[in-house]
Amino acid sequence: MDKKQFTERLKKIDVKNKGVISLYNEISALAMELGLSSAGKASERNAYYLSMEFLIGRSFYNNLMELGVLEQTSEILAEKGIDINVFEEIEDAALGNGGLGRLAACFLDSAAGLGLPLHGYGIRYKYGLFKQAIKNGFQIELPDDWQRFGDPWSVRRENEKRTVIFADMSVTAVPYDMPVFGKRTNVLRLWQAEGSAEAQKISEYLYPADDTEEGKILRLRQEYFFSAAAVGELIEKHIKKHGRNFESFPQYNAIQLNDTHPVLSIIEFIRLLTADYKVNFSDALEIAKKTFSYTNHTVLPEALECWNADIVKKILPDIYALLIKIHLKQKDELTRLNCTREELADMAIYTSNGFSMANLALYVAKTVNGVAKLHTEILKQNLFKTAYKYYPGKFQNKTNGITQRRWLMLCNGELSVLLDETIGTGWRSDVSELGKLNGYIGQIAEEFVAVKAEKKKQLFKYIKQREGVDIPDNFLVYSQVKRLHEYKRQLMTAFAILEIYYGLKDGTIKNFAPSVFIFGAKSAPAYKRAKTIIKFINEIAAIVNEDEQTNGLLKVVFVCNYNVSYAEKIIAGSDVSLQVSTAGLEASGTGNMKFMMNGAVTCGTMDGANIEIVEYAGLENNYVFGATVEDISKLKKEGYEPLKYLADPKHGKAVKTLIDGTFEDGGTGSFKELYDSLTVGASWHKADNYFVLYDLESYVNALLKINGDYKDKNSFAEKQLKNVANSAYFSSDRTIKEYADEIWEISDAF
Ligand code: 26V
């Protein structure tokens, strides 16, 4: 099928008496036919991205755009009296939690766009990330039954099923292929677990609660399930093409491990080679060392996986035996290198806590990479210091990126047109051409202001529909959208808003440009303190939005069920991107890059990729504040005393609203607990572990400085445009080229 045939068949579709869902399925099926009819040739050498999460978002508009038929489809539907936006009713496929999963989706998009053979392997969860409802200000989780709309973008491959064996059951892994369209069509293969009721549970939920032993076992099963299905299949494919010459496996295959979740695939690979094909253990290990690469996405200790040895022994005895064997082999090698006892303990695969997935990855992986310059330095100097001493050649940096196709062309057609008119359309295929914009900043500031105003209008209309909150057109938009976590410091933004609110009320803050603070965030269901922060923000919003003395100047919105589609709207309509993590803790951030590309200035700490963003767009066009990594480490050494910051009446008043009855926590005592976490600490961490009170003052000042600067519309728009003009570096096209050249060694030669 070609595009012409596609449009002809589309024209013939009878839309009468058809609901949105059936029309969606029919048009999508037609687009699939179009896309799959030009799938192209398979590549000799391929890279595979193993990831527990792929946070794809809505496929409909993106796929039609990639296939070059979005505009025609919109026109033909309009002729039939249908607004293409009706398909916004079809909810996102949210098979991921946040940054790590969305990065995987951006990477697949960029690889296909560049014609590089990179395929994804993951899990086809029946229920994706929960849907968030807010009741009395509290987060409630509802199941995300994304398949109820149908799944026209997947093809079930019945005859490519596999069996994954656990000590107590065997599970059928059925592949569902989602094509990734672009210059070439790649495949995201998601495995669905079938068989007994127990077996099916494996692909039922994304991130099942793992605070019980049962939950932990399920999570381990999930990780092994998709890892085993993927490497089992790759080995079989290799044998079909090249016979049992396993030495050549790394010549044709590169496997990227997205964090530690798929690290057991290394062991499964060695198990298959040694047990099924009689390769000796050392040879199998050497082949693995040339095949696997590992990306780390967080330095938070609670997220570094260690599998309890008894659990592994019980459900995966062969894997257990191999883990011990590989542990001893590494120990032996390191001992020969005169490694000290402490160093050995630090790098051990089998530790008192269980099997360290990070240490296993560090030992076997061909390369280890962090996701922003600072993050990679922290890995080398702190978290993986010892491994870096012994394997310095493995470490690389690959600063994250985001796809400009979804995050600019699709979500901001208006800005894309302004770019076309200013620098030509070349940037659409070669994103580095965005740099040309630097020559036109002054000339198009007014047009940019108009584009931003239009995107705000669309966003405010949507927020009114969804949340029932009115935001006047001229408001300055500050946004903080990301997973809810203490280290991301949404709580600090909440305090800053309160300080501004009280300052407006008592007249100490004057000439304030009317502003709205938009939050979007989901909290892990069991993360109590994060949930309390959501409640606190909602309490603040309720009071601030109702206050007639100030609500012409200040509003606060916590949007419900923030997801990829909501992000597309918020990011395009924002002026200021809030990226305020405790320095050293946000590995990279990718929302920061999306905002930058849409012309929001960053108000942030020197953390993650913020550092590179301000390096590229200019410090003078962004608003950096707060403690640096060095400051924080000094504070920790010298002793940090958060209480003294409460002596300042402004900070004291804002923070004490947690305990002085200003707000209601529904009788849960959770506001008091939150207050205590800042002032006295809890058993497992010190008071104000994330330095909220330390940075609060400089944060409020930065927010107010932005507010003042915004009054000069054109000069502020110029800062925003400087961010757009220098955002090409943060395209995942650049990132993927680096992975392709420096790790995977794949090319676009078919
Ligand atoms: C996971 C967990 C799970 C247990 C509870 C605490 C906790 C805290 C953090 C995480 C992070 C998981 C990995 C992740 O999503 N990392 C994000 O990866 C992005 C893509 O590289 C990066 O931009 C974000 O900075 C990083 O947080």
Side-chain angles (χ1 to χ4, degrees):
M1 194 200 280
D2 60 16
K3 284 189 206 172
K4 212 171 136 230
Q5 288 162 321
F6 172 84
T7 41
E8 273 160 20
R9 285 180 54 186
L10 185 62
K11 278 181 189 157
K12 287 196 194 125
I13 290 182
D14 179 14
V15 300
K16 260 185 240 117
N17 306 322
K18 260 185 206 145
V20 170
I21 295 176
S22 73
L23 206 53
Y24 158 77
N25 278 291
E26 203 170 334
I27 300 173
S28 304
L30 202 58
M32 274 288 266
E33 247 189 83
L34 171 67
L36 295 177
S37 60
S38 58
K41 254 180 66 189
S43 165
E44 277 277 287
R45 179 173 171 77
N46 292 277
Y48 299 92
Y49 203 75
L50 267 56
S51 177
M52 284 286 273
E53 306 185 13
F54 287 91
L55 186 42
I56 308 169
R58 217 174 250 140
S59 293
F60 186 80
Y61 302 106
N62 195 67
N63 282 351
L64 293 183
M65 179 179 75
E66 299 284 0
L67 293 168
V69 293
L70 181 57
E71 268 180 43
Q72 294 93 309
T73 305
S74 165
E75 282 161 19
I76 293 167
L77 287 174
E79 281 164 21
K80 294 174 185 280
I82 292 172
D83 179 349
I84 195 166
N85 294 319
V86 293
F87 300 115
E88 296 211 355
E89 213 178 276
I90 311 296
E91 286 162 15
D92 296 29
L95 309 186
N97 276 294
L100 169 140
R102 183 54 234 176
L103 184 76
C106 282
F107 279 5
L108 291 186
D109 183 271
S110 278
L114 295 167
L116 294 165
L118 171 73
H119 309 281
Y121 274 119
I123 298 178
R124 185 173 190 260
Y125 302 102
K126 173 146 181 45
Y127 298 102
L129 180 60
F130 66 85
K131 276 184 17 182
Q132 180 188 55
I134 300 290
K135 202 170 167 195
N136 299 327
F138 289 106
Q139 167 178 299
I140 310 276
E141 301 89 28
L142 304 168
D144 166 46
D145 182 11
W146 64 281
Q147 290 169 28
R148 75 183 188 282
F149 300 100
D151 180 19
W153 302 106
S154 292
V155 184
R156 180 180 166 106
R157 302 283 184 207
E158 197 65 42
N159 50 6
E160 292 180 53
K161 287 178 186 172
R162 309 190 57 79
T163 304
V164 176
I165 296 172
F166 296 91
D168 52 352
M169 65 169 149
S170 54
V171 181
T172 307
V174 184
Y176 279 73
D177 286 352
M178 296 182 110
V180 189
F181 302 118
K183 186 171 158 193
R184 62 171 281 141
T185 303
N186 290 323
V187 180
L188 167 57
R189 174 160 278 200
L190 300 179
W191 300 98
Q192 175 165 293
E194 298 188 1
S196 65
E198 276 302 295
Q200 289 175 33
K201 268 194 197 161
I202 293 178
S203 62
E204 199 166 355
Y205 284 100
L206 168 80
Y207 223 129
D210 59 1
D211 46 357
T212 60
E213 171 152 319
E214 205 190 336
K216 285 192 179 71
I217 291 177
L218 184 53
R219 172 86 179 167
L220 178 64
R221 286 195 205 275
Q222 291 188 322
E223 296 191 355
Y224 179 71
F225 166 73
F226 92 102
S227 301
V231 295
E233 171 170 282
L234 291 177
I235 289 174
E236 264 172 34
K237 280 188 175 165
H238 181 79
I239 295 173
K240 269 199 193 123
K241 271 192 156 171
H242 308 285
R244 293 192 176 193
N245 174 6
F246 297 111
E247 295 286 311
S248 70
F249 188 87
Q251 211 174 304
Y252 299 105
N253 301 282
I255 298 179
Q256 191 69 34
L257 305 172
N258 198 26
D259 222 292
T260 53
H261 320 143
V263 165
L264 285 179
S265 62
I266 296 174
I267 305 297
E268 175 66 3
F269 180 82
I270 295 173
R271 187 188 73 80
L272 285 169
L273 258 48
T274 51
D276 290 9
Y277 302 107
K278 310 296 169 219
V279 177
N280 80 51
F281 173 74
S282 299
D283 291 347
L285 178 59
E286 283 314 302
I287 299 170
K289 282 183 175 180
K290 292 179 188 144
T291 303
F292 292 89
S293 289
Y294 158 63
T295 307
N296 171 281
H297 294 270
T298 183
V299 298
L300 294 186
E302 59 267 39
L304 291 178
E305 291 181 301
C306 252
W307 285 117
N308 177 291
D310 294 333
I311 292 182
V312 179
K313 194 172 183 179
K314 194 163 106 193
I315 70 163
L316 296 165
D318 296 350
I319 296 293
Y320 172 85
L322 274 171
L323 278 164
I324 297 287
K325 196 161 175 175
I326 209 166
H327 164 78
L328 294 173
K329 166 115 181 153
Q330 183 213 31
K331 191 175 170 190
D332 187 48
E333 281 175 24
L334 289 173
T335 311
R336 264 180 247 215
L337 295 172
N338 297 323
C339 204
T340 67
R341 196 185 270 266
E342 290 73 35
E343 287 175 336
L344 264 179
D346 201 26
M347 286 191 283
I349 292 167
Y350 182 38
T351 74
S352 52
N353 293 326
F355 294 113
S356 158
M357 292 297 112
N359 283 351
L360 171 58
L362 289 167
Y363 172 54
V364 180
K366 185 176 91 157
T367 64
V368 174
N369 75 281
V371 291
K373 259 195 217 165
L374 173 72
H375 172 57
T376 301
E377 281 314 302
I378 291 175
L379 294 184
K380 294 199 288 194
Q381 309 307 335
N382 293 314
L383 192 64
F384 298 149
K385 190 173 164 201
T386 318
Y388 180 56
K389 179 176 166 192
Y390 287 91
Y391 322 117
K394 290 191 181 194
F395 285 74
Q396 297 196 5
N397 174 246
K398 294 283 167 282
T399 297
N400 282 165
I402 50 126
T403 169
Q404 70 280 7
R405 285 165 288 271
R406 184 178 289 268
W407 298 109
L408 177 53
M409 292 180 208
L410 195 63
C411 76
N412 203 338
E414 294 81 351
L415 179 56
S416 300
V417 169
L418 177 60
L419 293 172
D420 289 346
E421 288 167 358
T422 312
I423 56 170
T425 57
W427 67 275
R428 288 179 183 261
S429 47
D430 175 4
V431 72
S432 70
E433 288 199 14
L434 277 181
K436 288 185 181 171
L437 197 63
N438 279 306
Y440 301 90
I441 303 285
Q443 277 146 270
I444 60 162
E446 271 177 37
E447 280 105 318
F448 178 79
V449 172
V451 164
K452 202 42 112 184
E454 171 58 26
K455 296 312 283 183
K456 283 189 198 179
K457 216 167 153 181
Q458 294 167 7
L459 171 62
F460 296 169
K461 189 174 159 207
Y462 189 70
I463 289 181
K464 170 74 187 165
Q465 266 169 23
R466 291 270 303 247
E467 326 297 340
V469 180
D470 275 305
I471 308 166
D473 280 353
N474 61 339
F475 269 39
L476 165 60
V477 181
Y478 297 90
S479 298
Q480 186 171 19
V481 288
K482 47 185 78 258
R483 279 301 291 249
L484 216 136
H485 200 290
E486 287 165 280
Y487 85 80
K488 293 178 188 277
R489 301 198 293 190
Q490 284 95 346
L491 181 59
M492 189 168 76
T493 309
F495 290 146
I497 293 170
L498 283 173
E499 290 199 16
I500 292 172
Y501 171 62
Y502 292 130
L504 291 172
K505 278 184 89 68
D506 67 17
T508 48
I509 296 177
K510 297 184 180 64
N511 300 321
F512 187 76
S515 301
V516 59
F517 282 84
I518 298 176
F519 291 91
K522 288 182 182 177
S523 155
Y527 189 173
K528 289 214 177 101
R529 215 174 269 159
K531 288 181 128 172
T532 302
I533 295 170
I534 292 180
K535 169 70 174 167
F536 186 51
I537 293 169
N538 280 318
E539 287 297 302
I540 294 172
I543 288 203
V544 169
N545 295 348
E546 286 304 307
D547 189 333
E548 288 181 2
Q549 191 194 346
T550 57
N551 67 10
L553 289 172
L554 183 66
K555 293 226 166 175
V556 180
V557 188
F558 184 94
V559 306
C560 188
N561 200 38
Y562 173 69
N563 60 11
V564 173
S565 295
Y566 222 140
E568 290 168 14
K569 294 183 164 65
I570 294 172
I571 288 167
S574 295
D575 294 300
V576 186
S577 152
L578 302 176
Q579 308 296 338
V580 303
S581 51
T582 313
L585 296 184
E586 188 69 272
S588 161
T590 45
N592 47 3
M593 302 170 182
K594 296 164 195 163
F595 278 106
M596 177 200 200
M597 201 175 264
N598 282 273
V601 299
T602 297
C603 175
T605 48
M606 277 298 208
D607 197 18
N610 295 352
I611 296 175
E612 290 157 83
I613 287 177
V614 302
E615 198 177 296
Y616 276 84
L619 255 179
E620 68 287 7
N621 300 311
N622 290 289
Y623 298 82
V624 167
F625 71 92
T628 59
V629 171
E630 292 75 29
D631 295 335
I632 301 258
S633 95
K634 206 165 148 221
L635 275 168
K636 279 185 180 162
K637 250 184 239 142
E638 290 171 359
Y640 168 53
E641 284 168 30
L643 272 182
K644 72 174 187 225
Y645 299 94
L646 295 185
D648 178 308
K650 288 201 299 292
H651 309 323
K653 183 166 183 189
V655 176
K656 284 183 185 148
T657 58
L658 281 170
I659 48 164
D660 68 5
T662 308
F663 301 117
E664 270 300 314
D665 64 8
T668 58
S670 55
F671 284 177
K672 169 77 164 62
E673 200 281 335
L674 190 55
Y675 181 83
D676 289 345
S677 79
L678 294 170
T679 51
V680 292
S683 52
W684 49 277
H685 77 56
K686 295 197 174 124
D688 194 10
N689 201 30
Y690 299 98
F691 301 87
V692 168
L693 302 180
Y694 186 84
D695 277 345
L696 182 57
E697 179 150 317
S698 57
Y699 187 25
V700 175
N701 290 339
L703 293 169
L704 292 175
K705 172 84 171 80
I706 293 170
N707 194 275
D709 289 357
Y710 180 69
K711 287 189 203 110
D712 184 342
K713 282 261 154 34
N714 277 11
S715 94
F716 195 77
E718 287 181 20
K719 288 181 195 288
Q720 296 185 308
L721 274 167
K722 275 277 177 191
N723 278 279
V724 181
N726 296 293
S727 64
Y729 183 79
F730 302 97
S731 160
S732 43
D733 287 6
R734 187 271 310 153
T735 315
I736 279 295
K737 271 187 213 145
E738 289 181 7
Y739 275 94
D741 294 344
E742 296 158 26
I743 300 180
W744 305 328
E745 299 171 64
I746 52 170
S747 76
D748 65 352
F750 289 179

